[in-house]
Amino acid sequence: MIVLKSRREIELMRQAGRLVARAHQIVRGLLRPGITTAEIDRHIEEFIRSHDAVPSFKGYRGFPASTCISVNEELVHGIPGRRRLRHGDIVSVDIGVIYRGYHGDSAWTYAVGDIPAEARRLLETTEQALMAGIAQARAGKRLGDIGHAIQQVVEAAGFAVIREYVGHGIGREMHEPPQVPNYGEPGKGLVLRPGMTLAIEPMVSAGTWETRVLGDKWTVVSADGSLTAHFEHTVAITDDGPDILTLP
Ligand code: MG
Ligand code: MG
């Protein structure tokens, strides 16, 4: 069952989303060679909890941290730890917040210092794909329009869309129906309606679209070790078009 949100609920989700966006601003300020991913996680957890909010991921199916931090070939669900970021890494940081019962969810892939041109192009393409997907999040369009727009941008750049992980509805639960694939056919799938709130989140590989999970049972990597990127916003479909809720 897809839960449509009232205006009041969307405003509560915007407050959660604003905290997520501010947490990302903190991440940007922290990123430098030598910092550990656990230090970033600790700062973000403190920020979230000091604003009467709760990190969505901590304890979710036993996940041990407040953020997912995934470096280079790691795509999603990386566990923060002792790893030190290095000049030239790309690092995906996924942050979820529960505020007054509602979730916000946003991920961004950052460059640590100067990164190779191909990595830069991967980041730019995945961000563009996110924005192309969001542009389709309009009443009367269909889920396939979102996925198709994302896939077009990614594949035109010679990169691959991850198939095994997808976006999702979001609200009182972090993961609600429907699933929001990053591929699809225009004009196909569920019709989008005002009040739907979706986490749109292209996950892109510079090589194969296939993935595997590491021995920690969480960290998802590209099967061939290629660099990967992940950009995500929480978006409400309104009568006036897409409304990005995870902005500062
Ligand atoms: Mg996320
Ligand atoms: Mg998500």
Side-chain angles (χ1 to χ4, degrees):
M1 250 271 297
I2 293 170
V3 182
L4 299 179
K5 280 79 179 180
S6 66
R7 275 172 194 240
R8 179 190 147 272
E9 288 179 295
I10 289 173
E11 288 316 308
L12 285 171
M13 289 183 67
R14 192 189 311 283
Q15 292 181 46
R18 196 170 279 151
L19 285 176
V20 173
R22 288 176 61 196
H24 273 290
Q25 291 176 324
I26 292 170
V27 171
R28 287 186 191 98
L30 289 169
L31 281 178
R32 54 178 163 72
I35 193 168
T36 67
T37 54
E39 285 173 75
I40 296 171
D41 184 73
R42 182 172 51 78
H43 279 98
I44 297 310
E45 178 165 3
E46 281 174 10
F47 170 77
I48 293 170
R49 292 196 191 279
S50 70
H51 288 79
D52 295 325
V54 175
S56 306
F57 304 159
K58 194 146 200 181
Y60 182 81
R61 297 187 184 168
F63 189 77
S66 296
T67 59
C68 296
I69 304 186
S70 311
V71 184
N72 294 332
E73 78 282 2
E74 297 173 356
L75 172 70
V76 288
H77 307 165
I79 302 172
R82 283 173 297 185
R83 181 175 187 160
R84 289 185 189 281
L85 296 180
R86 294 164 57 169
H87 192 88
D89 283 342
I90 58 172
V91 54
S92 301
V93 181
D94 197 349
I95 302 174
V97 158
I98 313 169
Y99 182 74
R100 294 173 66 187
Y102 289 86
H103 288 261
D105 186 7
S106 174
W108 220 254
T109 305
Y110 300 102
V112 182
D114 295 322
I115 59 173
E118 186 70 349
R120 174 68 56 197
R121 202 169 68 83
L122 176 68
L123 268 50
E124 288 169 356
T125 298
T126 309
E127 185 176 354
Q128 282 168 16
L130 170 62
M131 299 319 289
I134 291 172
Q136 297 297 313
R138 293 175 178 279
K141 294 268 190 183
R142 290 172 180 264
L143 270 183
D145 294 314
I146 295 177
H148 181 72
I150 290 169
Q151 184 175 14
Q152 288 280 102
V153 171
V154 171
E155 293 182 352
F159 297 131
V161 168
I162 301 296
R163 304 295 204 273
E164 292 154 297
Y165 300 88
V166 296
H168 49 94
I170 180 170
R172 282 197 172 275
E173 304 292 333
M174 180 163 60
H175 294 127
E176 297 183 353
Q179 294 198 336
V180 184
N182 297 304
Y183 52 89
E185 288 182 52
K188 294 282 173 69
L190 180 82
V191 178
L192 304 177
R193 295 174 57 189
M196 287 182 180
T197 44
L198 306 175
I200 299 175
E201 48 179 316
M203 289 161 261
V204 175
S205 167
T208 181
W209 57 267
E210 293 175 293
T211 62
R212 64 188 180 87
V213 179
L214 296 185
D216 64 15
K217 297 205 163 59
W218 280 104
T219 311
V220 178
V221 298
S222 59
D224 62 0
S226 305
L227 290 178
T228 59
H230 179 205
F231 286 73
E232 174 184 34
H233 272 309
T234 297
V235 179
I237 294 162
T238 74
D239 290 321
D240 304 321
D243 184 358
I244 301 175
L245 303 178
T246 35
L247 293 175

